[in-house]
Amino acid sequence: MTEDFAADVAAIGSIPIMPTVLDTVCRLSGMRFAAVARVTEDRWIACAIRDEIAFGLAPGGELPIESTLCHEVRLATTRVVIDDVVAHPVYCSHHTPATYGFRSYISVPVRRADGSVFGTLCAIDPEPRRLDVPEIVGMFEMFADLIGQHLAALERTVASEATLLDAQRVAALREQFIAVLGHDLRNPLAAIDGGMRLLRKTPLDDQALRLITLVQASVGRMSGLIDNLVDFARCRLGDGLLLEREHVEIETLLRQIASELQVDRPDRIVDIACRLDAPVTCDRRRMAQLVSNLLGNALTHGAANRPVRVSAWAEGGWFELSVANAGEPIPPGMLPGLFQPFVRGPQGPRGEGLGLGLYIAQQIAEAHGGIIEATSTPAETRFTLRMPLPE
């Protein structure tokens, strides 16, 4: 038996009601051998068997296709019913009854979802049986349809699983590519940044200094995009974000990030207010990345003539950080999926970003045991980080 037909035998064997179907058709018809067979142009293969006459066939066993009547059922795609072959005008001299020693026979086609014939539900008995009546024929056809429906459901499940597996493989390759790409982009970016630092040490006019400042600001943004790409791939590939916790002066960190982001936005105002009695225990680099993503998002999408307000405070064992900006509110329909990867809000004047900033920020928050929530009204759009403080 080939691999393909082994799968067909296994498919029929996996149908939970199969033993009950064969038992029922035998009991109600009086037949003592029943089978579901896979029938092709040149093969007859037993998939499920109920045998009370010691016929000697088991699932996976074969009969020569030319020795069966199921071949004719497959070709005609209709049933064959014989109460007593001796009295039957067509099959009384047929070689099949003589070969297998039966006098009564019934076979109905089992069809796939597309209408093609998978095989048959058939039964034989050495004695004559009253089969050609609506009750018996209807029962066999009903069970044949039921088997076909189970096969169709199984095929849909297998197809869905194959599609899902393919999608998972493609996603894994894509994320591995992103990780490698992000890693390989760091070297030329570091070279550009190093070159700009060396140029700053040479005598330059004001225009050249401004150009260097713009290039370094672009390098900073590119570095942030690469960090987001690599972190996205790391999260999706299952490695997660690793934390190195330490005591961090949050206000100092906030002012440093704001200064860096204002290099190429000198006209933007960032108001920072903190109410912290002690350093916050967290991962300094990751917290800086979170703040940079939230603040950069606010500067990009917020009203250019209004300040961005950053607040941080700690009380009751919790740390909270909020970033708020004025401007057009986020459409309500976008809020539920705002932290999903590659989701981008209404574009600011630059139209920059990959749509990963908020996703990475949320992953950093979750790695710290916290969460980021977003609210947006005509008055302001606010992102708030809330996370527990280690005792």
Side-chain angles (χ1 to χ4, degrees), residues 73-88:
V73 174
R74 175 184 173 274
L75 290 176
T77 66
T78 188
R79 64 181 181 269
V80 171
V81 184
I82 305 172
D83 289 347
D84 187 353
V85 71
V86 174
H88 199 281

Side-chain angles (χ1 to χ4, degrees), residues 34-55:
V36 174
R38 175 73 169 100
V39 184
T40 69
E41 184 178 356
D42 55 2
R43 304 285 292 276
W44 188 103
I45 302 167
C47 296
I49 296 288
R50 179 179 173 81
D51 185 2
E52 298 177 12
I53 59 173
F55 190 82

Side-chain angles (χ1 to χ4, degrees), residues 366-385:
E366 290 178 1
H368 284 84
I371 190 173
I372 299 176
E373 295 178 329
T375 59
S376 189
T377 68
E380 70 169 14
T381 294
R382 179 180 295 269
F383 289 85
T384 302
L385 162 70

